[in-house]
Amino acid sequence: DAGVTQSPTHLIKTRGQQVTLRCSPKSGHDTVSWYQQALGQGPQFIFQYYEEEERQRGNFPDRFSGHQFPNYSSELNVNALLLGDSALYLCASSSQTYEQYFGPGTRLTVT
Amino acid sequence: LAKTTQPISMDSYEGQEVNITCSHNNIATNDYITWYQQFPSQGPRFIIQGYKTKVTNEVASLFIPADRKSSTLSLPRVSLSDTAVYYCLVGDDGTASKLTFGTGTRLQVTL
């Protein structure tokens, strides 16, 4: 049984560009959350998707948007990239429980 | 949300028991205490969760005093592979609630 998978593993973008990150949840999970982790910091909650709707959102600007598909997979989109958006982006899935399963993350570097 | 305070770092020798204490003075009645472990370049991994008294699983034990204003994660006989960052989280055990991470405790295990 595959766990949470994310793609791509690494990504380098230029300031002002747009990026899309992808996540496939663990089998049987219907809820996907996205987190941003800067170097040396704990993960920060971006938003959560359930039944293809954004259910909760953290303190992130509208440049960060997402989508959940009928198969529960999800995308994170970031527009107008800033240098400060450089971070590890983590996807976590769950099934109506507090325990969340994290993927390996996508390392985004903005130059 | 209840804020948590934990040591920035700890060192231990292999084979020793490690206790990491977390303070959460403003914990609410509905809040549970959860610990996650994170290795470099990986997503966090759920270790243990509790509400009061003591919880034990195959990986760790969690001790919670009656006032619930603190908790202690106990790792028995650590090995080099336990070197990681450990996060203490406090939050409502609702359905797939967002997780609020602090900066965690960096545990370094050496021979």
Side-chain angles (χ1 to χ4, degrees), chain A residues 6-13 17-23 34 47 63-69 73-81 89 106-108:
Chain A
Q6 294 186 242
S7 63
T9 305
H10 296 87
L11 202 53
I12 299 175
K13 290 287 189 178
Q17 285 188 317
Q18 178 264 343
V19 68
T20 298
L21 310 181
R22 296 176 176 82
C23 170
W34 286 92
F47 43 54
R63 298 187 297 109
F64 289 77
S65 64
H67 188 77
Q68 186 179 34
F69 299 94
S73 67
S74 177
E75 288 182 349
L76 165 65
N77 301 293
V78 186
N79 294 322
L81 285 167
Y89 287 85
T106 294
R107 173 72 61 186
L108 172 64

Side-chain angles (χ1 to χ4, degrees), chain A residues 31 35 37 41-45 48 55-56 90 94 96-100 102-104, chain B residues 34 36 38 41 43-44 46 49 87 90-93 95-99 101-103:
Chain A
T31 302
Y35 294 80
Q37 185 172 25
Q41 302 296 315
Q44 299 299 304
F45 176 79
Q48 183 182 87
R55 181 161 66 176
Q56 295 186 75
L90 295 161
S94 59
Q96 303 303 300
T97 65
Y98 195 75
E99 181 176 349
Q100 297 189 18
F102 284 81
Chain B
T34 310
Y36 277 76
Q38 186 176 26
S41 299
F46 173 92
Q49 183 185 66
Y87 294 98
V90 172
D92 183 0
D93 187 26
T95 55
S97 301
K98 67 178 185 181
L99 301 179
F101 290 83
T103 52

Side-chain angles (χ1 to χ4, degrees), chain B:
Chain B
L1 292 174
K3 179 179 171 139
T4 60
T5 303
Q6 49 184 126
I8 294 173
S9 64
M10 295 181 68
D11 296 310
S12 177
Y13 292 108
E14 197 173 43
Q16 289 188 325
E17 177 184 75
V18 171
N19 295 308
I20 306 174
T21 297
C22 178
S23 297
H24 28 79
N25 291 318
N26 297 322
I27 190 168
T29 304
N30 294 334
D31 287 343
Y32 279 70
I33 300 154
T34 310
W35 287 79
Y36 277 76
Q37 173 193 55
Q38 186 176 26
F39 299 112
S41 299
Q42 292 186 28
R45 181 176 74 104
F46 173 92
I47 300 177
I48 197 167
Q49 183 185 66
Y51 185 80
K52 62 181 179 180
T53 63
K54 176 184 174 182
V55 179
T56 298
N57 61 22
E58 66 278 6
V59 177
S61 293
L62 178 59
F63 299 91
I64 305 169
D67 66 5
R68 303 199 330 121
K69 292 184 183 300
S70 67
S71 59
T72 299
L73 175 71
S74 181
L75 304 172
R77 298 182 59 80
V78 294
S79 64
L80 296 176
S81 63
D82 292 316
T83 294
V85 178
Y86 292 82
Y87 294 98
C88 165
L89 288 75
V90 172
D92 183 0
D93 187 26
T95 55
S97 301
K98 67 178 185 181
L99 301 179
T100 302
F101 290 83
T103 52
T105 297
R106 188 171 302 275
L107 173 65
Q108 180 69 53
V109 181
T110 56
L111 291 173

Side-chain angles (χ1 to χ4, degrees), chain A residues 24-52:
Chain A
S24 291
K26 181 178 170 66
S27 178
H29 286 182
D30 57 9
T31 302
V32 173
S33 302
W34 286 92
Y35 294 80
Q36 179 196 65
Q37 185 172 25
L39 203 60
Q41 302 296 315
Q44 299 299 304
F45 176 79
I46 302 175
F47 43 54
Q48 183 182 87
Y49 278 85
Y50 172 70
E51 292 188 342
E52 302 180 50

